[in-house]
Amino acid sequence: MMHLFRRKKNIAKLISVLLLVLLTAGIGVTGATISHRMKLTNQIRTPTVSTEIEEEFDPGTPVYANKTKIVKFRNTGTADIFIRVAYAETWRYQESGESVLLPNHSEGREITDKAWTLSWQADWQDGGDGWFYYKKVLKPDQVTEAVLDHVNFGHVTELSDTRYRTAAYELTFQTEAVQASREIQTAKDAAEHVFGKTITLWNGKHEISSDADWNSNKYTALVNWGGDGI
């Protein structure tokens, strides 16, 4: 009888210990439920820089005549930009199944006459590095005036080299852009870093040197590529 009583007493102790452990575990679980983590995502949208070449081409007839080719450049991004463009022309003649590149000059003259516009002469600066630099800031969705109107092939029939009469002619343009920041020094640094050109900015009377002056004259300012005064 005494043995049975002790056994029940030990069982009671064991149940008490288990209950204490469970209560302790319960306290731990309860503490875990009030501990939480919060994840916040900050979405920062930066302005995009992109451009597009817009061309209107009409091959027309006869073959050796003026061919309409109107070329403009559009800011398709969301940032104000500085832009520069380059162009290349090639003559490809098929000979014995192979493509042969012909010179763009023959018999002391260019093969084609390219009708550059007044805007090309007034609004663009020859960088002397194969690139032509736009002397204005281009706003988002803004397009430049046409730089080319047409190409004339009238001289082809005058050449003694008859290969040009059946050769394929290509005139292609390339454009690059960099953001024109609201901070004038940042804008200058970006132009120098990406294009390798120093710039000075003018409001028509004097050189722009402050952010306030820059932002109030940004779309009418004249950009001089090379850093020299105007």
Side-chain angles (χ1 to χ4, degrees), residues 62-77:
V63 176
Y64 305 113
N66 291 339
K67 308 295 183 180
T68 298
K69 186 177 177 68
I70 300 174
V71 182
K72 303 176 182 179
F73 307 95
R74 181 179 295 276
N75 180 353
T76 54

PDB file of all heavy atoms in Angstrom, residues 62-77:
ATOM      1  N   PRO A  62      13.592  59.124-111.311  1.00  0.00           N
ATOM      2  CA  PRO A  62      14.382  57.968-111.749  1.00  0.00           C
ATOM      3  C   PRO A  62      15.447  57.589-110.725  1.00  0.00           C
ATOM      4  O   PRO A  62      15.544  58.208-109.665  1.00  0.00           O
ATOM      5  CB  PRO A  62      15.005  58.466-113.048  1.00  0.00           C
ATOM      6  CG  PRO A  62      15.129  59.943-112.831  1.00  0.00           C
ATOM      7  CD  PRO A  62      13.911  60.336-112.054  1.00  0.00           C
ATOM      8  N   VAL A  63      16.256  56.598-111.063  1.00  0.00           N
ATOM      9  CA  VAL A  63      17.255  56.085-110.121  1.00  0.00           C
ATOM     10  C   VAL A  63      18.256  57.163-109.733  1.00  0.00           C
ATOM     11  O   VAL A  63      18.553  57.372-108.553  1.00  0.00           O
ATOM     12  CB  VAL A  63      17.996  54.871-110.719  1.00  0.00           C
ATOM     13  CG1 VAL A  63      19.108  54.412-109.776  1.00  0.00           C
ATOM     14  CG2 VAL A  63      17.021  53.743-110.989  1.00  0.00           C
ATOM     15  N   TYR A  64      18.789  57.890-110.716  1.00  0.00           N
ATOM     16  CA  TYR A  64      19.819  58.885-110.426  1.00  0.00           C
ATOM     17  C   TYR A  64      19.160  60.257-110.301  1.00  0.00           C
ATOM     18  O   TYR A  64      19.141  61.047-111.243  1.00  0.00           O
ATOM     19  CB  TYR A  64      20.885  58.874-111.516  1.00  0.00           C
ATOM     20  CG  TYR A  64      21.470  57.498-111.718  1.00  0.00           C
ATOM     21  CD1 TYR A  64      21.259  56.798-112.898  1.00  0.00           C
ATOM     22  CD2 TYR A  64      22.201  56.895-110.707  1.00  0.00           C
ATOM     23  CE1 TYR A  64      21.791  55.532-113.077  1.00  0.00           C
ATOM     24  CE2 TYR A  64      22.726  55.630-110.877  1.00  0.00           C
ATOM     25  CZ  TYR A  64      22.517  54.945-112.057  1.00  0.00           C
ATOM     26  OH  TYR A  64      23.036  53.686-112.214  1.00  0.00           O
ATOM     27  N   ALA A  65      18.630  60.519-109.114  1.00  0.00           N
ATOM     28  CA  ALA A  65      17.938  61.787-108.864  1.00  0.00           C
ATOM     29  C   ALA A  65      17.958  62.068-107.372  1.00  0.00           C
ATOM     30  O   ALA A  65      18.605  61.354-106.598  1.00  0.00           O
ATOM     31  CB  ALA A  65      16.501  61.710-109.387  1.00  0.00           C
ATOM     32  N   ASN A  66      17.238  63.116-106.946  1.00  0.00           N
ATOM     33  CA  ASN A  66      17.130  63.411-105.528  1.00  0.00           C
ATOM     34  C   ASN A  66      16.278  62.344-104.833  1.00  0.00           C
ATOM     35  O   ASN A  66      15.176  62.021-105.291  1.00  0.00           O
ATOM     36  CB  ASN A  66      16.480  64.786-105.306  1.00  0.00           C
ATOM     37  CG  ASN A  66      17.382  65.917-105.736  1.00  0.00           C
ATOM     38  OD1 ASN A  66      18.596  65.748-105.837  1.00  0.00           O
ATOM     39  ND2 ASN A  66      16.807  67.079-105.984  1.00  0.00           N
ATOM     40  N   LYS A  67      16.794  61.828-103.730  1.00  0.00           N
ATOM     41  CA  LYS A  67      16.054  60.858-102.932  1.00  0.00           C
ATOM     42  C   LYS A  67      15.730  61.506-101.586  1.00  0.00           C
ATOM     43  O   LYS A  67      16.629  61.871-100.832  1.00  0.00           O
ATOM     44  CB  LYS A  67      16.874  59.590-102.692  1.00  0.00           C
ATOM     45  CG  LYS A  67      17.450  58.974-103.963  1.00  0.00           C
ATOM     46  CD  LYS A  67      16.384  58.474-104.895  1.00  0.00           C
ATOM     47  CE  LYS A  67      16.995  57.814-106.115  1.00  0.00           C
ATOM     48  NZ  LYS A  67      15.984  57.312-107.056  1.00  0.00           N
ATOM     49  N   THR A  68      14.464  61.654-101.306  1.00  0.00           N
ATOM     50  CA  THR A  68      14.054  62.260-100.043  1.00  0.00           C
ATOM     51  C   THR A  68      14.532  61.424 -98.862  1.00  0.00           C
ATOM     52  O   THR A  68      14.281  60.214 -98.804  1.00  0.00           O
ATOM     53  CB  THR A  68      12.526  62.406 -99.979  1.00  0.00           C
ATOM     54  OG1 THR A  68      12.095  63.270-101.034  1.00  0.00           O
ATOM     55  CG2 THR A  68      12.091  62.991 -98.640  1.00  0.00           C
ATOM     56  N   LYS A  69      15.239  62.050 -97.943  1.00  0.00           N
ATOM     57  CA  LYS A  69      15.662  61.382 -96.713  1.00  0.00           C
ATOM     58  C   LYS A  69      15.706  62.441 -95.620  1.00  0.00           C
ATOM     59  O   LYS A  69      16.685  63.177 -95.481  1.00  0.00           O
ATOM     60  CB  LYS A  69      17.030  60.710 -96.868  1.00  0.00           C
ATOM     61  CG  LYS A  69      17.445  59.864 -95.654  1.00  0.00           C
ATOM     62  CD  LYS A  69      18.769  59.180 -95.917  1.00  0.00           C
ATOM     63  CE  LYS A  69      19.266  58.372 -94.722  1.00  0.00           C
ATOM     64  NZ  LYS A  69      18.433  57.189 -94.438  1.00  0.00           N
ATOM     65  N   ILE A  70      14.608  62.546 -94.903  1.00  0.00           N
ATOM     66  CA  ILE A  70      14.479  63.535 -93.829  1.00  0.00           C
ATOM     67  C   ILE A  70      14.823  62.865 -92.507  1.00  0.00           C
ATOM     68  O   ILE A  70      14.242  61.836 -92.147  1.00  0.00           O
ATOM     69  CB  ILE A  70      13.050  64.109 -93.784  1.00  0.00           C
ATOM     70  CG1 ILE A  70      12.715  64.786 -95.121  1.00  0.00           C
ATOM     71  CG2 ILE A  70      12.900  65.094 -92.630  1.00  0.00           C
ATOM     72  CD1 ILE A  70      11.276  65.250 -95.231  1.00  0.00           C
ATOM     73  N   VAL A  71      15.777  63.434 -91.783  1.00  0.00           N
ATOM     74  CA  VAL A  71      16.292  62.811 -90.558  1.00  0.00           C
ATOM     75  C   VAL A  71      16.143  63.756 -89.374  1.00  0.00           C
ATOM     76  O   VAL A  71      16.554  64.920 -89.444  1.00  0.00           O
ATOM     77  CB  VAL A  71      17.773  62.408 -90.725  1.00  0.00           C
ATOM     78  CG1 VAL A  71      18.289  61.723 -89.457  1.00  0.00           C
ATOM     79  CG2 VAL A  71      17.944  61.500 -91.937  1.00  0.00           C
ATOM     80  N   LYS A  72      15.545  63.232 -88.282  1.00  0.00           N
ATOM     81  CA  LYS A  72      15.395  63.980 -87.035  1.00  0.00           C
ATOM     82  C   LYS A  72      15.765  63.053 -85.874  1.00  0.00           C
ATOM     83  O   LYS A  72      15.869  61.833 -86.039  1.00  0.00           O
ATOM     84  CB  LYS A  72      13.945  64.457 -86.855  1.00  0.00           C
ATOM     85  CG  LYS A  72      13.413  65.320 -87.985  1.00  0.00           C
ATOM     86  CD  LYS A  72      11.941  65.658 -87.749  1.00  0.00           C
ATOM     87  CE  LYS A  72      11.367  66.484 -88.892  1.00  0.00           C
ATOM     88  NZ  LYS A  72       9.926  66.791 -88.677  1.00  0.00           N
ATOM     89  N   PHE A  73      15.897  63.645 -84.683  1.00  0.00           N
ATOM     90  CA  PHE A  73      16.257  62.867 -83.503  1.00  0.00           C
ATOM     91  C   PHE A  73      15.310  63.230 -82.354  1.00  0.00           C
ATOM     92  O   PHE A  73      15.133  64.403 -82.042  1.00  0.00           O
ATOM     93  CB  PHE A  73      17.709  63.125 -83.101  1.00  0.00           C
ATOM     94  CG  PHE A  73      18.668  62.912 -84.235  1.00  0.00           C
ATOM     95  CD1 PHE A  73      19.089  63.985 -85.019  1.00  0.00           C
ATOM     96  CD2 PHE A  73      19.119  61.641 -84.548  1.00  0.00           C
ATOM     97  CE1 PHE A  73      19.946  63.796 -86.083  1.00  0.00           C
ATOM     98  CE2 PHE A  73      19.987  61.438 -85.616  1.00  0.00           C
ATOM     99  CZ  PHE A  73      20.396  62.514 -86.383  1.00  0.00           C
ATOM    100  N   ARG A  74      14.726  62.197 -81.736  1.00  0.00           N
ATOM    101  CA  ARG A  74      13.732  62.418 -80.683  1.00  0.00           C
ATOM    102  C   ARG A  74      14.243  61.917 -79.335  1.00  0.00           C
ATOM    103  O   ARG A  74      14.905  60.868 -79.249  1.00  0.00           O
ATOM    104  CB  ARG A  74      12.422  61.701 -81.016  1.00  0.00           C
ATOM    105  CG  ARG A  74      11.304  61.914 -79.967  1.00  0.00           C
ATOM    106  CD  ARG A  74      10.028  61.197 -80.348  1.00  0.00           C
ATOM    107  NE  ARG A  74       9.450  61.740 -81.562  1.00  0.00           N
ATOM    108  CZ  ARG A  74       8.661  62.816 -81.590  1.00  0.00           C
ATOM    109  NH1 ARG A  74       8.367  63.458 -80.460  1.00  0.00           N
ATOM    110  NH2 ARG A  74       8.170  63.244 -82.726  1.00  0.00           N
ATOM    111  N   ASN A  75      13.906  62.652 -78.278  1.00  0.00           N
ATOM    112  CA  ASN A  75      14.177  62.216 -76.910  1.00  0.00           C
ATOM    113  C   ASN A  75      13.023  61.321 -76.478  1.00  0.00           C
ATOM    114  O   ASN A  75      11.917  61.786 -76.220  1.00  0.00           O
ATOM    115  CB  ASN A  75      14.291  63.432 -75.981  1.00  0.00           C
ATOM    116  CG  ASN A  75      14.581  63.041 -74.539  1.00  0.00           C
ATOM    117  OD1 ASN A  75      14.575  61.862 -74.181  1.00  0.00           O
ATOM    118  ND2 ASN A  75      14.818  64.032 -73.693  1.00  0.00           N
ATOM    119  N   THR A  76      13.259  60.024 -76.399  1.00  0.00           N
ATOM    120  CA  THR A  76      12.218  59.069 -76.032  1.00  0.00           C
ATOM    121  C   THR A  76      12.281  58.675 -74.559  1.00  0.00           C
ATOM    122  O   THR A  76      11.527  57.804 -74.119  1.00  0.00           O
ATOM    123  CB  THR A  76      12.332  57.798 -76.897  1.00  0.00           C
ATOM    124  OG1 THR A  76      13.669  57.271 -76.793  1.00  0.00           O
ATOM    125  CG2 THR A  76      12.026  58.106 -78.350  1.00  0.00           C
ATOM    126  N   GLY A  77      13.169  59.298 -73.797  1.00  0.00           N
ATOM    127  CA  GLY A  77      13.280  59.005 -72.373  1.00  0.00           C
ATOM    128  C   GLY A  77      12.485  59.976 -71.528  1.00  0.00           C
ATOM    129  O   GLY A  77      11.641  60.736 -72.023  1.00  0.00           O
TER     130      GLY A  77
END
